[in-house]
Amino acid sequence: MPYSITLGRSSHHFETLGRLMACATPLRSGDVLAGVAAASAEERVAAQFLLAEVPLEDFLNHPLIPYEDDEVTRLILDSHDASTFRSISDLSVGEFRNWLLDYETTGETIAAIRAGLTPEMVAAVSKIMGNQDLVLVASKIRVVTAFRSTIGLPGCLSVRLQPNHPTDDIHGIAASTLDGLLYGCGDAVIGINPATDSVPAMDRLLHLMDDLIRKYEIPTQSCVLAHVTTALRCIEMGSPVDLVFQSITGTEAANKTFGINLGILAEARAAALSLDRGTVGKQVMYFETGQGSCLSADANHGLDQQTCEARAYAVARAFDPLLVNTVVGFIGPEYLYDGKQIIRAGLEDHFCGKMLGLPMGCDVCYTNHAEADQDDMDTLLTLLGVAGCNFIMGVPGSDDIMLGYQSSSFHDSHYLRQVLGLKPAPEFAEWLEKMRITGQGRLLPVEPKNPLLAHGKI
């Protein structure tokens, strides 16, 4: 379906809705690399003007990837609730933006129409929104999940404690974990990226975390971020699996390069649920995403990277996750070149995920060869805090020595919690007080008699 517009003396023509979406996307290096970006700023503005006039129902009538070619498209369209969509079906993309920004449109109002939204609709409206629009609308939306801690409540900010080690050394991981706990981090999850994706390595790390959580009665959950099939084998052999992790993307072809499909994810969720290890909730999946994965796999079907990213959220929401994390700057400058692009992508991802009902966190991060620095990350961190992000990463010194990238530190959560008046998950906050890590919500000086240090080891 072609779209055309004349601006001044120039005419602009876009053959398909997918092409229009790509050209309307704010500039990013990945789309340029893939050859789908607008050729000029003028063409980008023309595409945004046209996209604002597109009826929302066009995204149902003209799938960006054909139904018969892609199981993610089939998931999106088969799960779409036509009756819920009816209340907004007469809106264009631009009118939908205005509706979202209206004083009367609350988080509850958005939740009521969520089943009628597709990722493509949400991605489209994000492309014609400014950064402040993305922050404002996302701040209206709360998505609350639970396993052993309750994540996403109003006034709360949680942290994934990320104690990675380049050789999976138990002592190194334990030391980083202790450091993070003493800074009040870990209420979202204690999540380890293993250096070796093997059943023995995962089982060993799972037992380390399980022993720690049981010994100190920590109201949190652990996750070893190995491949979903490795987690399945660990479950079969009786390992103490709390959460099942998997990186996901927005197209069937890209997910195949990750060695997964929707059936495998469903099997893993059922297996984790069968263990019944949660105490205050039963959400057992942890997904990570990031703009550029479909493009790097040459599996984007001509779509821009942000639209592909939004489609990944359809995969995530089908499995009722505890946590979804956009690792926004991790892939590198080939896809998000500098701090400006990383900041914009982080706000887009958080907005789109929340709109689709996901418990969104963000790894506020960059690689050392990107044109970005810690000041850029401080800006994104602050914006996400205002936008109501469910959780961030806590990495010792903000430098992940195993994955080799820069993230947020244990200290950063205290900056956000102080400046915005936020607290940890309620169960975890109570535990921090009991363990004399905090007092009246403030970090206490670490004393030798602290229960975590009483035996000289964790």
Side-chain angles (χ1 to χ4, degrees):
M1 182 177 179
Y3 302 84
S4 298
I5 189 173
T6 298
L7 294 179
R9 298 180 179 179
S10 301
S11 295
H12 300 274
H13 185 75
F14 308 92
E15 285 294 333
T16 66
L17 184 54
R19 177 63 183 158
L20 179 65
M21 290 272 281
C23 288
T25 305
L27 178 65
R28 60 210 56 194
S29 53
D31 292 339
V32 174
L33 184 66
V36 301
S40 65
E42 181 181 293
E43 185 177 45
R44 184 172 301 107
V45 170
Q48 290 171 340
F49 267 112
L50 281 170
L51 185 59
E53 299 298 320
V54 172
L56 292 179
E57 63 182 0
D58 274 18
F59 294 98
L60 299 173
N61 298 330
H62 305 284
L64 302 188
I65 302 176
Y67 183 91
E68 59 275 11
D69 293 348
D70 184 85
E71 70 170 357
V72 178
T73 298
R74 293 193 289 275
L75 172 68
I76 291 167
L77 295 179
D78 291 350
S79 61
H80 181 258
D81 188 329
S83 60
T84 302
F85 177 66
R86 200 169 294 125
S87 65
I88 57 169
S89 61
D90 62 336
L91 298 181
S92 68
V93 172
E95 291 168 336
F96 185 43
R97 171 187 175 271
N98 293 340
W99 181 83
L100 290 171
L101 293 171
D102 194 283
Y103 282 109
E104 304 304 318
T105 301
T106 64
E108 291 75 17
T109 312
I110 295 168
I113 58 99
R114 185 172 289 145
L117 298 175
T118 68
E120 292 85 353
M121 295 175 193
V122 174
V125 75
S126 75
K127 295 176 190 298
I128 61 166
M129 297 173 80
N131 285 2
Q132 64 179 247
D133 298 340
L134 299 173
V135 170
L136 174 58
V137 176
S139 72
K140 300 181 181 185
I141 304 169
R142 304 308 308 185
V143 181
V144 180
T145 56
F147 189 78
R148 293 195 193 99
S149 57
T150 306
I151 302 164
L153 290 167
C156 292
L157 172 74
S158 294
V159 182
R160 170 190 160 186
L161 202 172
Q162 185 170 307
N164 295 344
H165 191 277
T167 63
D168 288 341
D169 179 77
I170 292 292
H171 301 291
I173 290 171
S176 294
T177 302
L178 173 61
D179 190 22
L181 291 172
L182 290 172
Y183 272 105
C185 298
D187 52 335
V189 64
I190 303 175
I192 305 167
N193 296 89
T196 303
D197 192 332
S198 69
V199 171
M202 182 174 184
D203 179 65
R204 184 165 55 96
L205 295 174
L206 285 169
H207 279 286
L208 171 69
M209 291 296 105
D210 187 57
D211 291 345
L212 171 67
I213 289 171
R214 287 178 179 274
K215 179 177 180 179
Y216 295 102
E217 299 179 329
I218 309 173
T220 191
Q221 37 284 328
S222 71
C223 185
V224 176
L225 282 69
H227 193 268
V228 63
T229 54
T230 307
L232 273 169
R233 291 175 62 191
C234 283
I235 291 172
E236 290 168 359
M237 64 183 281
S239 303
V241 175
D242 288 343
L243 306 183
V244 171
F245 164 81
Q246 184 54 49
S247 293
I248 56 173
T249 73
T251 71
E252 178 181 354
N255 281 326
K256 282 183 179 178
T257 68
F258 284 179
I260 62 166
N261 55 42
L262 300 181
I264 290 173
L265 296 178
E267 180 185 355
R269 178 172 180 265
L273 284 171
S274 72
L275 300 179
D276 195 25
R277 292 175 57 83
T279 55
V280 296
K282 296 182 181 296
Q283 283 147 322
V284 295
M285 301 300 287
Y286 176 15
F287 294 119
E288 287 192 345
T289 67
Q291 291 191 27
S293 55
C294 287
L295 274 63
S296 65
D298 195 23
N300 62 312
H301 296 265
L303 303 182
D304 64 274
Q305 65 186 41
Q306 191 255 336
T307 298
C308 289
E309 172 73 2
R311 284 170 54 92
Y313 303 152
V315 175
R317 73 173 175 176
F319 300 100
D320 189 27
L322 179 76
L323 307 165
V324 178
N325 176 35
T326 169
V327 192
V328 66
F330 181 74
I331 298 182
E334 300 85 356
Y335 298 96
L336 295 169
Y337 178 72
D338 57 15
K340 181 176 181 178
Q341 292 186 13
I342 293 170
I343 290 167
R344 173 69 190 189
L347 296 179
E348 288 170 347
D349 295 352
H350 180 255
F351 164 83
C352 290
K354 283 286 185 68
M355 284 289 294
L356 294 168
L358 293 179
M360 290 301 295
C362 183
D363 193 341
V364 179
C365 65
Y366 63 102
T367 57
N368 287 313
H369 60 311
E371 290 295 321
D373 59 27
Q374 203 59 48
D375 287 339
D376 295 317
M377 298 306 103
D378 285 350
T379 299
L380 178 55
L381 183 74
T382 305
L383 290 169
L384 287 169
V386 175
C389 190
N390 279 25
F391 67 99
I392 61 169
M393 304 297 107
V395 177
S398 77
D399 184 3
D400 192 303
I401 59 172
M402 193 278 280
L403 293 174
Y405 77 118
Q406 307 303 309
S407 184
S408 47
S409 71
F410 300 143
H411 306 70
D412 289 333
S413 63
H414 292 281
Y415 155 68
L416 269 190
R417 286 170 177 168
Q418 287 181 70
V419 77
L420 298 176
L422 303 174
K423 299 178 180 179
E427 302 88 349
F428 197 78
E430 182 180 347
W431 179 83
L432 291 173
E433 297 275 326
K434 183 180 75 172
M435 298 295 286
R436 302 198 297 276
I437 295 170
T438 61
Q440 297 183 335
R442 297 186 176 189
L443 276 181
L444 297 175
V446 178
E447 300 178 356
K449 293 183 179 180
N450 185 284
L452 284 176
L453 304 175
H455 304 290
K457 61 180 180 179
I458 195 166

mmCIF file of all heavy atoms in Angstrom, residues 245-250 255 258 286-293 308-316 323-331 349-350 353 358 360-363 365:
data_model
loop_
_atom_site.group_PDB
_atom_site.id
_atom_site.type_symbol
_atom_site.label_atom_id
_atom_site.label_comp_id
_atom_site.label_asym_id
_atom_site.label_seq_id
_atom_site.Cartn_x
_atom_site.Cartn_y
_atom_site.Cartn_z
ATOM 1 N N PHE A 245 15.658 -18.059 31.770
ATOM 2 C CA PHE A 245 16.072 -16.912 30.966
ATOM 3 C C PHE A 245 16.122 -17.267 29.489
ATOM 4 O O PHE A 245 16.424 -18.411 29.117
ATOM 5 C CB PHE A 245 17.467 -16.446 31.399
ATOM 6 C CG PHE A 245 18.116 -15.527 30.396
ATOM 7 C CD1 PHE A 245 17.779 -14.188 30.361
ATOM 8 C CD2 PHE A 245 19.042 -16.011 29.476
ATOM 9 C CE1 PHE A 245 18.358 -13.339 29.423
ATOM 10 C CE2 PHE A 245 19.618 -15.176 28.543
ATOM 11 C CZ PHE A 245 19.281 -13.828 28.519
ATOM 12 N N GLN A 246 15.864 -16.250 28.643
ATOM 13 C CA GLN A 246 16.177 -16.382 27.231
ATOM 14 C C GLN A 246 16.205 -15.009 26.574
ATOM 15 O O GLN A 246 15.369 -14.152 26.858
ATOM 16 C CB GLN A 246 15.157 -17.258 26.504
ATOM 17 C CG GLN A 246 15.487 -17.520 25.041
ATOM 18 C CD GLN A 246 16.878 -18.105 24.826
ATOM 19 O OE1 GLN A 246 17.254 -19.075 25.489
ATOM 20 N NE2 GLN A 246 17.640 -17.534 23.917
ATOM 21 N N SER A 247 17.187 -14.801 25.685
ATOM 22 C CA SER A 247 17.169 -13.649 24.792
ATOM 23 C C SER A 247 16.182 -13.940 23.672
ATOM 24 O O SER A 247 16.146 -15.058 23.139
ATOM 25 C CB SER A 247 18.554 -13.400 24.196
ATOM 26 O OG SER A 247 19.468 -12.997 25.194
ATOM 27 N N ILE A 248 15.376 -12.949 23.311
ATOM 28 C CA ILE A 248 14.365 -13.127 22.281
ATOM 29 C C ILE A 248 14.415 -11.980 21.284
ATOM 30 O O ILE A 248 14.954 -10.901 21.570
ATOM 31 C CB ILE A 248 12.949 -13.228 22.881
ATOM 32 C CG1 ILE A 248 12.630 -11.988 23.739
ATOM 33 C CG2 ILE A 248 12.794 -14.501 23.710
ATOM 34 C CD1 ILE A 248 11.201 -11.920 24.235
ATOM 35 N N THR A 249 13.821 -12.210 20.124
ATOM 36 C CA THR A 249 13.764 -11.187 19.082
ATOM 37 C C THR A 249 12.349 -11.132 18.511
ATOM 38 O O THR A 249 11.460 -11.860 18.948
ATOM 39 C CB THR A 249 14.756 -11.492 17.944
ATOM 40 O OG1 THR A 249 14.246 -12.608 17.177
ATOM 41 C CG2 THR A 249 16.118 -11.851 18.473
ATOM 42 N N GLY A 250 12.183 -10.291 17.487
ATOM 43 C CA GLY A 250 10.853 -10.033 16.967
ATOM 44 C C GLY A 250 10.477 -10.734 15.687
ATOM 45 O O GLY A 250 9.422 -10.439 15.114
ATOM 46 N N ASN A 255 14.808 -15.520 15.841
ATOM 47 C CA ASN A 255 14.746 -16.423 16.990
ATOM 48 C C ASN A 255 15.391 -17.773 16.677
ATOM 49 O O ASN A 255 15.993 -18.398 17.554
ATOM 50 C CB ASN A 255 13.294 -16.611 17.445
ATOM 51 C CG ASN A 255 12.784 -15.446 18.275
ATOM 52 O OD1 ASN A 255 13.538 -14.836 19.027
ATOM 53 N ND2 ASN A 255 11.506 -15.134 18.138
ATOM 54 N N PHE A 258 18.881 -17.842 17.472
ATOM 55 C CA PHE A 258 19.095 -17.997 18.909
ATOM 56 C C PHE A 258 18.801 -19.424 19.369
ATOM 57 O O PHE A 258 18.928 -19.731 20.556
ATOM 58 C CB PHE A 258 18.193 -17.044 19.691
ATOM 59 C CG PHE A 258 18.640 -15.609 19.687
ATOM 60 C CD1 PHE A 258 17.894 -14.646 20.349
ATOM 61 C CD2 PHE A 258 19.789 -15.200 19.044
ATOM 62 C CE1 PHE A 258 18.288 -13.314 20.368
ATOM 63 C CE2 PHE A 258 20.191 -13.877 19.051
ATOM 64 C CZ PHE A 258 19.437 -12.924 19.711
ATOM 65 N N TYR A 286 12.336 -14.772 32.478
ATOM 66 C CA TYR A 286 13.146 -13.551 32.391
ATOM 67 C C TYR A 286 13.639 -13.457 30.958
ATOM 68 O O TYR A 286 14.383 -14.310 30.475
ATOM 69 C CB TYR A 286 14.313 -13.633 33.375
ATOM 70 C CG TYR A 286 15.304 -12.481 33.330
ATOM 71 C CD1 TYR A 286 15.021 -11.278 32.694
ATOM 72 C CD2 TYR A 286 16.547 -12.604 33.945
ATOM 73 C CE1 TYR A 286 15.928 -10.239 32.677
ATOM 74 C CE2 TYR A 286 17.467 -11.564 33.941
ATOM 75 C CZ TYR A 286 17.152 -10.386 33.299
ATOM 76 O OH TYR A 286 18.059 -9.347 33.281
ATOM 77 N N PHE A 287 13.223 -12.387 30.251
ATOM 78 C CA PHE A 287 13.618 -12.189 28.862
ATOM 79 C C PHE A 287 14.510 -10.961 28.726
ATOM 80 O O PHE A 287 14.315 -9.962 29.421
ATOM 81 C CB PHE A 287 12.391 -11.992 27.972
ATOM 82 C CG PHE A 287 11.506 -13.204 27.862
ATOM 83 C CD1 PHE A 287 10.181 -13.160 28.287
ATOM 84 C CD2 PHE A 287 11.983 -14.393 27.336
ATOM 85 C CE1 PHE A 287 9.367 -14.271 28.185
ATOM 86 C CE2 PHE A 287 11.173 -15.512 27.229
ATOM 87 C CZ PHE A 287 9.859 -15.450 27.659
ATOM 88 N N GLU A 288 15.465 -11.052 27.803
ATOM 89 C CA GLU A 288 16.254 -9.891 27.424
ATOM 90 C C GLU A 288 16.132 -9.652 25.933
ATOM 91 O O GLU A 288 16.033 -10.603 25.134
ATOM 92 C CB GLU A 288 17.723 -10.053 27.839
ATOM 93 C CG GLU A 288 17.914 -9.917 29.340
ATOM 94 C CD GLU A 288 19.356 -9.782 29.767
ATOM 95 O OE1 GLU A 288 20.271 -10.075 28.964
ATOM 96 O OE2 GLU A 288 19.574 -9.367 30.926
ATOM 97 N N THR A 289 16.133 -8.370 25.572
ATOM 98 C CA THR A 289 15.970 -7.960 24.185
ATOM 99 C C THR A 289 16.972 -6.847 23.897
ATOM 100 O O THR A 289 17.736 -6.435 24.767
ATOM 101 C CB THR A 289 14.537 -7.439 23.947
ATOM 102 O OG1 THR A 289 14.356 -6.215 24.684
ATOM 103 C CG2 THR A 289 13.491 -8.442 24.403
ATOM 104 N N GLY A 290 16.934 -6.331 22.688
ATOM 105 C CA GLY A 290 17.805 -5.216 22.349
ATOM 106 C C GLY A 290 17.731 -4.887 20.872
ATOM 107 O O GLY A 290 17.762 -5.788 20.032
ATOM 108 N N GLN A 291 17.599 -3.607 20.573
ATOM 109 C CA GLN A 291 17.504 -3.199 19.177
ATOM 110 C C GLN A 291 18.750 -3.617 18.400
ATOM 111 O O GLN A 291 19.870 -3.381 18.843
ATOM 112 C CB GLN A 291 17.322 -1.678 19.087
ATOM 113 C CG GLN A 291 15.987 -1.193 19.580
ATOM 114 C CD GLN A 291 15.734 0.266 19.232
ATOM 115 O OE1 GLN A 291 16.264 0.789 18.242
ATOM 116 N NE2 GLN A 291 14.915 0.925 20.028
ATOM 117 N N GLY A 292 18.527 -4.220 17.249
ATOM 118 C CA GLY A 292 19.618 -4.607 16.377
ATOM 119 C C GLY A 292 19.786 -6.096 16.198
ATOM 120 O O GLY A 292 20.472 -6.542 15.270
ATOM 121 N N SER A 293 19.164 -6.904 17.065
ATOM 122 C CA SER A 293 19.391 -8.351 16.981
ATOM 123 C C SER A 293 18.846 -8.949 15.684
ATOM 124 O O SER A 293 19.483 -9.824 15.083
ATOM 125 C CB SER A 293 18.773 -9.054 18.200
ATOM 126 O OG SER A 293 17.411 -8.733 18.343
ATOM 127 N N CYS A 308 11.200 -4.089 14.885
ATOM 128 C CA CYS A 308 11.520 -5.490 15.222
ATOM 129 C C CYS A 308 11.591 -5.673 16.736
ATOM 130 O O CYS A 308 11.123 -6.688 17.269
ATOM 131 C CB CYS A 308 12.844 -5.895 14.582
ATOM 132 S SG CYS A 308 12.796 -6.083 12.783
ATOM 133 N N GLU A 309 12.171 -4.711 17.436
ATOM 134 C CA GLU A 309 12.266 -4.793 18.882
ATOM 135 C C GLU A 309 10.879 -4.835 19.518
ATOM 136 O O GLU A 309 10.620 -5.634 20.421
ATOM 137 C CB GLU A 309 13.066 -3.603 19.420
ATOM 138 C CG GLU A 309 13.076 -3.457 20.927
ATOM 139 C CD GLU A 309 13.937 -4.476 21.647
ATOM 140 O OE1 GLU A 309 14.582 -5.302 20.975
ATOM 141 O OE2 GLU A 309 13.959 -4.454 22.899
ATOM 142 N N ALA A 310 9.983 -3.975 19.065
ATOM 143 C CA ALA A 310 8.629 -3.971 19.614
ATOM 144 C C ALA A 310 7.937 -5.313 19.389
ATOM 145 O O ALA A 310 7.176 -5.791 20.244
ATOM 146 C CB ALA A 310 7.821 -2.834 18.996
ATOM 147 N N ARG A 311 8.198 -5.948 18.251
ATOM 148 C CA ARG A 311 7.602 -7.263 17.986
ATOM 149 C C ARG A 311 8.129 -8.320 18.967
ATOM 150 O O ARG A 311 7.417 -9.278 19.288
ATOM 151 C CB ARG A 311 7.900 -7.679 16.536
ATOM 152 C CG ARG A 311 7.038 -6.959 15.504
ATOM 153 C CD ARG A 311 7.529 -7.223 14.083
ATOM 154 N NE ARG A 311 7.630 -8.650 13.801
ATOM 155 C CZ ARG A 311 6.652 -9.390 13.257
ATOM 156 N NH1 ARG A 311 5.492 -8.826 12.940
ATOM 157 N NH2 ARG A 311 6.840 -10.666 13.016
ATOM 158 N N ALA A 312 9.361 -8.145 19.444
ATOM 159 C CA ALA A 312 9.875 -9.081 20.449
ATOM 160 C C ALA A 312 9.036 -9.036 21.724
ATOM 161 O O ALA A 312 8.933 -10.030 22.455
ATOM 162 C CB ALA A 312 11.331 -8.757 20.773
ATOM 163 N N TYR A 313 8.423 -7.888 21.996
ATOM 164 C CA TYR A 313 7.604 -7.772 23.198
ATOM 165 C C TYR A 313 6.319 -8.584 23.093
ATOM 166 O O TYR A 313 5.741 -8.965 24.121
ATOM 167 C CB TYR A 313 7.299 -6.300 23.489
ATOM 168 C CG TYR A 313 8.536 -5.450 23.652
ATOM 169 C CD1 TYR A 313 8.539 -4.095 23.345
ATOM 170 C CD2 TYR A 313 9.735 -6.005 24.098
ATOM 171 C CE1 TYR A 313 9.672 -3.319 23.493
ATOM 172 C CE2 TYR A 313 10.873 -5.237 24.243
ATOM 173 C CZ TYR A 313 10.838 -3.892 23.932
ATOM 174 O OH TYR A 313 11.971 -3.136 24.074
ATOM 175 N N ALA A 314 5.866 -8.862 21.869
ATOM 176 C CA ALA A 314 4.728 -9.764 21.700
ATOM 177 C C ALA A 314 5.111 -11.180 22.117
ATOM 178 O O ALA A 314 4.302 -11.912 22.705
ATOM 179 C CB ALA A 314 4.254 -9.761 20.248
ATOM 180 N N VAL A 315 6.347 -11.567 21.807
ATOM 181 C CA VAL A 315 6.837 -12.878 22.241
ATOM 182 C C VAL A 315 6.895 -12.911 23.771
ATOM 183 O O VAL A 315 6.414 -13.856 24.408
ATOM 184 C CB VAL A 315 8.229 -13.164 21.641
ATOM 185 C CG1 VAL A 315 8.790 -14.478 22.182
ATOM 186 C CG2 VAL A 315 8.157 -13.197 20.113
ATOM 187 N N ALA A 316 7.447 -11.861 24.367
ATOM 188 C CA ALA A 316 7.592 -11.829 25.823
ATOM 189 C C ALA A 316 6.245 -11.904 26.531
ATOM 190 O O ALA A 316 6.071 -12.680 27.479
ATOM 191 C CB ALA A 316 8.344 -10.566 26.243
ATOM 192 N N LEU A 323 10.319 -10.510 34.535
ATOM 193 C CA LEU A 323 11.223 -9.425 34.157
ATOM 194 C C LEU A 323 11.438 -9.420 32.650
ATOM 195 O O LEU A 323 11.591 -10.485 32.044
ATOM 196 C CB LEU A 323 12.588 -9.591 34.833
ATOM 197 C CG LEU A 323 12.626 -9.770 36.354
ATOM 198 C CD1 LEU A 323 13.994 -10.272 36.784
ATOM 199 C CD2 LEU A 323 12.289 -8.464 37.046
ATOM 200 N N VAL A 324 11.479 -8.227 32.064
ATOM 201 C CA VAL A 324 11.924 -8.052 30.683
ATOM 202 C C VAL A 324 12.939 -6.915 30.695
ATOM 203 O O VAL A 324 12.666 -5.832 31.216
ATOM 204 C CB VAL A 324 10.767 -7.720 29.725
ATOM 205 C CG1 VAL A 324 11.305 -7.503 28.307
ATOM 206 C CG2 VAL A 324 9.725 -8.834 29.725
ATOM 207 N N ASN A 325 14.083 -7.158 30.123
ATOM 208 C CA ASN A 325 15.185 -6.206 30.178
ATOM 209 C C ASN A 325 15.664 -5.879 28.774
ATOM 210 O O ASN A 325 16.087 -6.770 28.039
ATOM 211 C CB ASN A 325 16.334 -6.813 30.998
ATOM 212 C CG ASN A 325 17.559 -5.925 31.030
ATOM 213 O OD1 ASN A 325 17.435 -4.708 31.049
ATOM 214 N ND2 ASN A 325 18.732 -6.532 31.038
ATOM 215 N N THR A 326 15.586 -4.599 28.400
ATOM 216 C CA THR A 326 16.203 -4.184 27.149
ATOM 217 C C THR A 326 17.659 -3.815 27.432
ATOM 218 O O THR A 326 17.939 -2.897 28.214
ATOM 219 C CB THR A 326 15.461 -3.008 26.486
ATOM 220 O OG1 THR A 326 16.271 -2.498 25.403
ATOM 221 C CG2 THR A 326 15.155 -1.883 27.456
ATOM 222 N N VAL A 327 18.572 -4.562 26.842
ATOM 223 C CA VAL A 327 20.012 -4.325 27.033
ATOM 224 C C VAL A 327 20.425 -3.324 25.961
ATOM 225 O O VAL A 327 21.056 -3.664 24.966
ATOM 226 C CB VAL A 327 20.792 -5.654 26.943
ATOM 227 C CG1 VAL A 327 22.226 -5.476 27.438
ATOM 228 C CG2 VAL A 327 20.102 -6.731 27.762
ATOM 229 N N VAL A 328 20.096 -2.062 26.207
ATOM 230 C CA VAL A 328 19.902 -1.112 25.121
ATOM 231 C C VAL A 328 21.172 -0.797 24.339
ATOM 232 O O VAL A 328 21.130 -0.689 23.114
ATOM 233 C CB VAL A 328 19.216 0.166 25.653
ATOM 234 C CG1 VAL A 328 20.107 0.923 26.635
ATOM 235 C CG2 VAL A 328 18.794 1.073 24.523
ATOM 236 N N GLY A 329 22.307 -0.638 24.997
ATOM 237 C CA GLY A 329 23.509 -0.256 24.260
ATOM 238 C C GLY A 329 24.519 -1.367 24.099
ATOM 239 O O GLY A 329 25.668 -1.113 23.722
ATOM 240 N N PHE A 330 24.104 -2.599 24.356
ATOM 241 C CA PHE A 330 25.060 -3.702 24.451
ATOM 242 C C PHE A 330 25.602 -4.158 23.093
ATOM 243 O O PHE A 330 26.762 -4.548 22.990
ATOM 244 C CB PHE A 330 24.408 -4.885 25.165
ATOM 245 C CG PHE A 330 25.300 -6.075 25.344
ATOM 246 C CD1 PHE A 330 26.321 -6.046 26.293
ATOM 247 C CD2 PHE A 330 25.145 -7.216 24.582
ATOM 248 C CE1 PHE A 330 27.160 -7.139 26.466
ATOM 249 C CE2 PHE A 330 25.977 -8.307 24.752
ATOM 250 C CZ PHE A 330 26.991 -8.267 25.700
ATOM 251 N N ILE A 331 24.776 -4.126 22.051
ATOM 252 C CA ILE A 331 25.224 -4.685 20.765
ATOM 253 C C ILE A 331 26.332 -3.839 20.158
ATOM 254 O O ILE A 331 27.227 -4.357 19.507
ATOM 255 C CB ILE A 331 24.030 -4.841 19.798
ATOM 256 C CG1 ILE A 331 22.995 -5.821 20.386
ATOM 257 C CG2 ILE A 331 24.497 -5.355 18.444
ATOM 258 C CD1 ILE A 331 21.801 -6.076 19.485
ATOM 259 N N ASP A 349 12.095 1.688 23.974
ATOM 260 C CA ASP A 349 11.894 0.307 24.408
ATOM 261 C C ASP A 349 11.050 0.251 25.671
ATOM 262 O O ASP A 349 10.129 -0.569 25.791
ATOM 263 C CB ASP A 349 13.246 -0.371 24.644
ATOM 264 C CG ASP A 349 14.069 -0.528 23.380
ATOM 265 O OD1 ASP A 349 13.536 -0.250 22.291
ATOM 266 O OD2 ASP A 349 15.248 -0.923 23.495
ATOM 267 N N HIS A 350 11.372 1.112 26.631
ATOM 268 C CA HIS A 350 10.623 1.131 27.879
ATOM 269 C C HIS A 350 9.163 1.486 27.631
ATOM 270 O O HIS A 350 8.251 0.833 28.154
ATOM 271 C CB HIS A 350 11.262 2.125 28.847
ATOM 272 C CG HIS A 350 10.566 2.217 30.155
ATOM 273 N ND1 HIS A 350 9.766 3.280 30.494
ATOM 274 C CD2 HIS A 350 10.520 1.366 31.206
ATOM 275 C CE1 HIS A 350 9.260 3.085 31.700
ATOM 276 N NE2 HIS A 350 9.708 1.938 32.155
ATOM 277 N N GLY A 353 7.368 -1.477 25.671
ATOM 278 C CA GLY A 353 7.152 -2.624 26.539
ATOM 279 C C GLY A 353 6.048 -2.379 27.543
ATOM 280 O O GLY A 353 5.162 -3.236 27.750
ATOM 281 N N LEU A 358 4.306 -5.157 29.727
ATOM 282 C CA LEU A 358 5.482 -5.887 30.188
ATOM 283 C C LEU A 358 6.157 -5.178 31.363
ATOM 284 O O LEU A 358 6.181 -3.949 31.434
ATOM 285 C CB LEU A 358 6.492 -6.044 29.047
ATOM 286 C CG LEU A 358 6.043 -6.945 27.905
ATOM 287 C CD1 LEU A 358 7.116 -6.990 26.821
ATOM 288 C CD2 LEU A 358 5.717 -8.343 28.385
ATOM 289 N N MET A 360 9.008 -3.818 32.423
ATOM 290 C CA MET A 360 10.240 -3.426 31.739
ATOM 291 C C MET A 360 11.311 -2.892 32.683
ATOM 292 O O MET A 360 11.072 -2.027 33.524
ATOM 293 C CB MET A 360 9.937 -2.352 30.690
ATOM 294 C CG MET A 360 9.158 -2.844 29.498
ATOM 295 S SD MET A 360 9.968 -4.184 28.575
ATOM 296 C CE MET A 360 11.425 -3.355 27.965
ATOM 297 N N GLY A 361 12.503 -3.438 32.495
ATOM 298 C CA GLY A 361 13.709 -2.878 33.061
ATOM 299 C C GLY A 361 14.628 -2.488 31.926
ATOM 300 O O GLY A 361 14.341 -2.751 30.750
ATOM 301 N N CYS A 362 15.735 -1.848 32.264
ATOM 302 C CA CYS A 362 16.680 -1.440 31.232
ATOM 303 C C CYS A 362 18.103 -1.572 31.751
ATOM 304 O O CYS A 362 18.409 -1.111 32.847
ATOM 305 C CB CYS A 362 16.414 0.006 30.803
ATOM 306 S SG CYS A 362 17.479 0.573 29.456
ATOM 307 N N ASP A 363 18.929 -2.207 30.957
ATOM 308 C CA ASP A 363 20.365 -2.200 31.211
ATOM 309 C C ASP A 363 20.899 -0.923 30.579
ATOM 310 O O ASP A 363 21.070 -0.831 29.360
ATOM 311 C CB ASP A 363 21.009 -3.434 30.597
ATOM 312 C CG ASP A 363 22.435 -3.646 31.082
ATOM 313 O OD1 ASP A 363 23.030 -2.680 31.585
ATOM 314 O OD2 ASP A 363 22.948 -4.772 30.957
ATOM 315 N N CYS A 365 23.416 1.005 29.400
ATOM 316 C CA CYS A 365 24.770 0.511 29.122
ATOM 317 C C CYS A 365 25.289 0.989 27.779
ATOM 318 O O CYS A 365 24.555 1.466 26.928
ATOM 319 C CB CYS A 365 24.774 -1.021 29.171
ATOM 320 S SG CYS A 365 23.768 -1.814 27.886
#
